[in-house]
Each structure stands twice: as C-alpha cells, then as structure tokens.
Amino acid sequence: MPVPHTPLDLVSAARPGGEHLHHDFLVDGRPLLHRLDETDGFDTVSPLAADLPPTVRAEHAHRLLLADGSRQVIHSCPDCEDPGCGAVTAVVAREGGDVVWRDFAWQTGPTADPEREGYPGVGPYRFHAAAYRSVLLRLLESSACRRVA
C-alpha cells in the first residue's frame, strides 16, 4: 500500500546556539531536523545553510530536483555537505507523479547502511511532484540561492 502524500515546504531555522540561519525541510508541518534529533541527536544542518556558498545550495537543490533514485544528502555536517564528515542521506526517487524520500540513514562514507544506521520511524515521505518542484524552484529563485555568475 502506498504511503500517503506528505506536504513539503521550507522553514528558516537557527543552528544550535542560535547562530547562522538556514533552511530546513518542513515535512508534514514539522521541521525534518526535529524528527531526526528525536532519533539520535546528531548535530547536522540542511545543505541549504545560509553560510554555505550560494552555488553549493543551488547544486544541492538541483540534485534533489533530479529525484533519480540515488542517495542524496538531506542534512550534513555544519561545515560542509560531505558524507565522509557525517550526513543524513535518503534515497530520492520518482514514483509515477510523486517524489519519495526513503531509507534515511546516517552515512559516514561512500555508502549507507539503512538497516544498521537507519532512522526508524522517519520516512518514507511521498510528495506530489508538482508541489515538490515548486518548493525547490522557489528556493532556487530566491536571492539566498541564486547561482553566482
């Protein structure tokens, strides 16, 4: 039985300690980072963080838009988006007219092991593809995420 559709949006949030605003994914009305913190408390942020270069944020949004079935960084170390540093990743795939995020895992190398390092109770999330694209395109069009020429 398919997972019901989940609303997706973006929300501004502060890192622990209150500094450096960043965007987080608002999944079903709640910041995704809060769901992850309840599971294990890792210190991660979205790669859409305001203090990362705009090209990094834009590239991340473009990878999420592809939804090609590959594993993508959803939250990463506060200083970079390298899974080797530690990152929350998920498979981001198209399924019909939807985009699904599934198999969330803590990844510290080239591959993830959702069975050993997974997030029980987090996901899968099914988004209407048009709404999903709209959220990420809105981010790309915002001044905070424009590509630098």
Side-chain angles (χ1 to χ4, degrees):
M1 180 167 166
V3 175
H5 287 99
T6 303
L8 176 70
D9 209 341
L10 295 169
V11 63
S12 292
R15 290 185 181 172
E19 76 277 0
H20 305 295
L21 280 178
H22 69 279
H23 289 96
D24 190 12
F25 299 103
L26 195 64
V27 177
D28 204 15
R30 190 159 172 231
L32 183 57
L33 188 56
H34 291 185
R35 294 175 194 268
L36 298 169
D37 280 345
E38 288 173 358
T39 305
D40 58 26
F42 283 116
D43 179 25
T44 61
V45 297
S46 162
L48 306 173
D51 55 348
L52 290 176
T55 54
V56 170
R57 295 191 308 272
E59 288 169 13
H60 179 69
H62 283 288
R63 283 193 303 274
L64 291 174
L65 279 167
L66 287 176
D68 62 2
S70 63
R71 184 162 286 282
Q72 295 296 324
V73 172
I74 304 297
H75 283 90
S76 62
C77 141
D79 297 319
C80 67
E81 97 174 284
D82 179 4
C85 222
V88 176
T89 62
V91 173
V92 178
R94 289 190 187 280
E95 292 184 6
D98 300 329
V99 174
V100 176
W101 289 3
R102 62 178 166 76
D103 301 329
F104 284 79
W106 178 248
Q107 185 172 339
T108 57
T111 61
D113 184 353
E115 287 188 31
R116 195 181 76 206
E117 300 288 339
Y119 288 86
V122 177
Y125 299 115
R126 178 176 296 277
F127 310 109
H128 286 286
Y132 179 85
R133 281 187 62 77
S134 175
V135 167
L136 291 171
L137 289 174
R138 188 176 74 227
L139 175 70
L140 285 168
E141 292 167 0
S142 75
S143 61
C145 198
R146 278 181 215 248
R147 286 190 182 266
V148 177

